[in-house]
Amino acid sequence: DMLRLFEHMEDARTVPFAAVFPTMIAAYAASGDLISAVECYNEYRTLAVANDAGRQTLQNRMDAEVYASVINAYVVSDKIEGAMKFFKKIVDEYGVRVADIKDALVSTGFVKGFISRGILQEALHWAQSMDASSRSQALSRIASQAADANEKATATEAYNNVAVSTETLVAPSMAMLAMSIRDGDVAAATKYWHVLASPEVRATAAFIEPTTMYAVALIGSGQVAEGLAQSEMMFQRIRASESEER
């Protein structure tokens, strides 16, 4: 359907929006059609070269996003050598200017691709090569996914390297708390609970499940009064937060 839409735009001489290309490339890769994904990139590259020459061939250029989608397509297709070759080609072409787009290529290309395939240690390896300013979001996603998969070592390493901020720590803290409880380690769960219970954190309906899990774990370990107290405290915050939104 996307291909027919694009062909219709070409026939009508409509200048395409660049955002169409990452979507098409991702769709082809998801369906296992890497060849068409690469052909889609080649079409974008042709239009971009013409655009550089002054022709109106693309609206709202998205070069970094397109490059990243190609890398991601190679990774999800288990063609890591192709991903590396393409990444090196872009780095060589851009020279020192690649610093402006490198994190986007790594995050949306390699990290996202390896996360989708469940190869979380490799995703962590790539995330650690990113600049500090953008690394935490990637590490947060990896910690959450690894915790959900019970890959404790990868989850812990990723979590411990997330910059301390409310925004990036909430989701992985929930996942780490759940993993700790599944392991029967209430003491470890308490560490992540303290992050969620911080006054700076806004408690939403998403906190209901971790609160219930933590309370049940405390009660099961004999800390009945503490379990009831902590759950009541958090449920009050959740109710207050929900009331503010109405």
Side-chain angles (χ1 to χ4, degrees), residues 193 195-198 201-204 207-208 210-211 228-240:
W193 175 255
V195 174
L196 299 178
S198 168
V201 174
R202 182 172 174 273
T204 66
F207 283 58
I208 293 174
T211 298
L228 294 173
Q230 291 297 319
S231 61
E232 178 58 25
M233 175 273 294
M234 187 60 81
F235 284 135
Q236 284 182 3
R237 289 180 56 186
I238 294 169
R239 284 193 294 270

Side-chain angles (χ1 to χ4, degrees), residues 17-187:
F17 281 94
V20 170
F21 289 88
T23 304
M24 290 179 64
I25 291 168
Y28 281 129
S31 66
D33 190 353
L34 179 61
I35 291 175
S36 292
V38 174
E39 287 176 349
C40 187
Y41 162 72
N42 289 334
E43 175 69 17
Y44 178 86
R45 184 178 178 86
T46 299
L47 294 174
V49 169
N51 189 246
D52 287 341
R55 291 172 54 195
Q56 187 61 29
T57 54
L58 280 170
Q59 296 190 58
N60 301 335
R61 289 274 290 267
M62 298 179 67
D63 292 2
E65 291 82 354
V66 172
Y67 300 149
S69 68
V70 175
I71 293 170
N72 181 268
Y74 276 114
V75 173
V76 300
S77 302
D78 195 22
K79 303 293 183 184
I80 310 304
E81 185 177 340
M84 291 296 299
K85 186 180 295 185
F86 183 81
F87 179 65
K88 185 178 185 303
K89 174 186 172 185
I90 299 302
V91 170
D92 290 344
E93 282 184 3
Y94 270 69
V96 294
R97 294 181 298 122
V98 80
D100 297 332
I101 64 169
K102 177 176 171 288
D103 280 356
L105 302 185
V106 171
S107 178
T108 310
F110 289 105
V111 174
K112 183 180 178 182
F114 282 118
I115 287 177
S116 70
R117 293 185 58 203
I119 308 176
L120 301 172
Q121 187 60 43
E122 192 65 22
L124 176 59
H125 166 75
W126 279 98
Q128 289 170 332
S129 72
M130 297 169 62
D131 288 342
S133 59
S134 51
R135 187 188 309 143
S136 283
Q137 286 289 349
L139 291 172
S140 176
R141 293 202 309 273
I142 295 166
S144 297
Q145 293 284 335
D148 288 345
N150 285 329
E151 294 187 21
K152 187 174 182 179
T154 302
T156 302
E157 184 178 356
Y159 184 91
N160 289 342
N161 284 284
V162 175
V164 179
S165 75
T166 299
E167 182 181 348
T168 52
L169 279 178
V170 169
S173 293
M174 289 182 179
M176 297 294 285
L177 181 144
M179 180 182 69
S180 300
I181 291 173
R182 289 194 299 270
D183 286 346
D185 191 345
V186 178

